[in-house]
């Protein structure tokens, strides 16, 4: 934790920089740490409670799931298949990452409000609209090299009821979601854009529902694959991902702005650098009425000029689609 302090015309200002290994916490856990740090800054005597760390599957999975023979048998078969795959596959050399860089920006309050309102009118989430906009931007910039797919992390803790909301947790599985690519990006008009967002929402919901059904099997299977984790990491370091980017939206951050003695001006979205071959990821969050974006990448995956162009196209699309009048259709229910 680093506290950068200074002064401006209004008085003392500062920034808190919080860094943590992903093996300890995910983005949601980072917000828990930040929330409690700010609360203690306002009241050092505040009792925030204590939690013990997770030491075994029994700490996160119910006993009924751990004793379910069908679940354990299915997990064992899948773990065996993975071990067999890696035993037959020749280990490839890792491809070095290029220079890592980060772009950060915010969407104005006016544009953020317009995007939220239009997404609600179209029956989709802001995340679905963002995903379509960035996918079209990737396809425009990368051309035929773009896959038209994104990787969406899933907040797995909502399916693990033994984990308390303020506990630190690190696992963040996700799913690859394909977007429609029949139309060229330039031919995707307002109606087609929102239709793609609805299709994306449906596909993502289906995949998340499938993950929720198999969440216990997923974690039991992971415990059976410790022996091949090294090979799995080597595989991820040796080849590009089969999707264009990771897109993760934390959503609206529920941290107060006003505290005794200080005011929180803004919260920046967490950034992450994983050891995989590709570091391309877009993370977003909402605070004080503004959407905050972070685009991480390395120069072997995309050049800085390409990333800036993708950002420009995606933001232009979101602004145009947000401020365009919605079709005269009944209000749809968002995911």
């Amino acid at each position: 934790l680093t506290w950068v302090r200074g002064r401006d015309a209004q008085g003392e200002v500062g920034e808190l920089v919080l860094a943590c290994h992903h093996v300890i916490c995910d983005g949601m856990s980072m917000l828990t740490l930040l929330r409690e740090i700010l609360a203690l800054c306002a009241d050092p005597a505040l009792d925030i409670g204590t939690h013990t760390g997770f030491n075994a599957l029994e700490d996160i999975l119910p006993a009924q799931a751990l004793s379910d023979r069908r679940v354990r048998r299915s997990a064992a078969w899948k773990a065996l298949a993975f071990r067999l795959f890696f035993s037959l596959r020749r280990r490839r050399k890792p491809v070095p990452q290029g220079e890592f860089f980060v772009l950060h920006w915010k969407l104005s309050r006016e544009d953020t409000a317009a995007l939220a309102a239009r997404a609600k009118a179209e029956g989709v989430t802001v995340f679905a609209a963002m995903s379509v906009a960035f996918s079209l931007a990737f396809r425009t910039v990368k051309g035929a090299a773009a896959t038209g797919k994104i990787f969406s992390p899933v907040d797995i803790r909502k399916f693990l009821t033994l984990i308390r909301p303020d506990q630190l947790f690190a696992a963040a599985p996700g799913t690859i979601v394909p977007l429609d690519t029949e139309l060229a990006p330039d031919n995707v008009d307002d109606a087609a854009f929102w239709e793609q967002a609805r299709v994306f929402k449906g596909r993502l919901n289906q995949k998340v529902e499938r993950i929720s059904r198999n969440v216990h099997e997923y974690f039991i299977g992971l415990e059976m694959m410790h022996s091949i984790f090294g090979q799995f990491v080597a595989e991820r370091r040796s080849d590009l991902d089969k999707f264009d980017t990771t897109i993760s939206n934390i959503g609206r951050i529920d941290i107060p702005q006003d505290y005794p003695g200080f005011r929180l001006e803004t919260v920046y979205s967490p950034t992450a650098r994983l050891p995989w071959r590709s570091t391309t990821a877009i993370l977003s969050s909402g605070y004080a009425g503004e959407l905050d974006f972070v685009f991480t990448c390395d120069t072997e995956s995309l050049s800085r000029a390409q990333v800036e162009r993708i950002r420009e196209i995606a933001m232009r699309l979101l602004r145009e689609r947000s401020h365009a009048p919605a079709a005269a259709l009944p209000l749809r229910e968002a995911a």
Side-chain angles (χ1 to χ4, degrees), residues 33-270:
L33 287 175
L34 179 59
R35 185 181 297 108
E36 294 184 345
I37 288 170
L38 292 170
L40 289 170
C41 285
D43 181 7
L46 180 67
D47 182 6
I48 61 172
T50 59
H51 292 300
T52 57
F54 299 112
N55 299 306
L57 283 180
E58 288 77 8
D59 295 333
I60 63 172
L61 299 184
Q64 181 181 1
L66 292 171
S67 61
D68 190 316
R69 293 183 179 180
R70 183 191 62 80
V71 171
R72 299 193 69 87
R73 184 166 55 248
S74 179
W77 277 110
K78 291 179 180 179
L80 177 62
F82 271 103
R83 289 197 295 269
L84 179 61
F85 170 81
F86 283 113
S87 68
L88 299 176
R89 187 173 180 83
R90 182 179 179 181
R91 181 175 294 195
R92 297 181 291 178
K93 292 183 179 180
V95 178
Q97 294 178 352
E99 179 185 354
F100 185 74
F101 63 93
V102 177
L103 267 62
H104 171 260
W105 72 96
K106 288 182 179 291
L107 196 64
S108 71
R109 287 180 176 84
E110 178 186 359
D111 290 332
T112 298
L115 174 59
R118 182 67 194 275
K120 182 178 180 180
E122 295 292 342
V124 300
T125 59
V126 169
F127 177 71
M130 286 168 37
S131 298
V132 173
F134 277 106
S135 178
L136 292 172
F138 268 89
R139 290 174 58 202
T140 300
V141 172
K142 295 183 66 176
T147 65
K149 301 175 182 178
I150 69 163
F151 180 83
S152 175
V154 175
D155 182 11
I156 201 70
R157 67 183 70 210
K158 68 176 67 174
F159 309 123
L160 300 172
T161 56
L162 294 182
I163 301 177
R164 298 180 182 179
D166 61 342
Q167 281 186 290
L168 303 186
F169 192 63
T175 183
I176 298 175
V177 185
L179 289 97
D180 291 337
T181 57
E182 289 83 0
L183 291 175
D186 290 342
N187 294 332
V188 177
D189 59 13
D190 188 73
F193 179 93
W194 293 108
E195 180 59 28
Q196 287 196 15
R198 284 187 285 273
V199 171
F200 171 86
K201 181 195 75 172
R203 291 173 179 171
L204 177 60
N205 286 348
Q206 289 176 356
K207 289 177 175 286
V208 171
E209 197 276 332
R210 191 177 303 125
I211 289 174
S212 71
R213 292 200 309 265
N214 300 317
V215 63
H216 298 148
E217 178 186 310
Y218 170 81
F219 281 98
I220 292 172
L222 285 180
E223 286 297 295
M224 299 177 178
M225 294 192 290
H226 281 244
S227 62
I228 60 171
F229 276 172
Q231 292 164 277
F232 173 78
V233 172
E235 182 75 13
R236 291 295 305 274
R237 287 177 170 175
S238 65
D239 199 5
L240 289 173
D241 293 317
K242 300 301 185 291
F243 48 86
D244 291 321
T245 186
T246 295
I247 302 181
S248 178
N249 181 31
I250 293 176
R252 186 180 294 108
I253 298 174
D254 60 340
I255 294 179
Q257 275 200 282
D258 294 304
Y259 293 84
F262 66 92
R263 176 177 172 80
L264 185 63
E265 294 291 340
T266 191
V267 177
Y268 301 119
S269 299

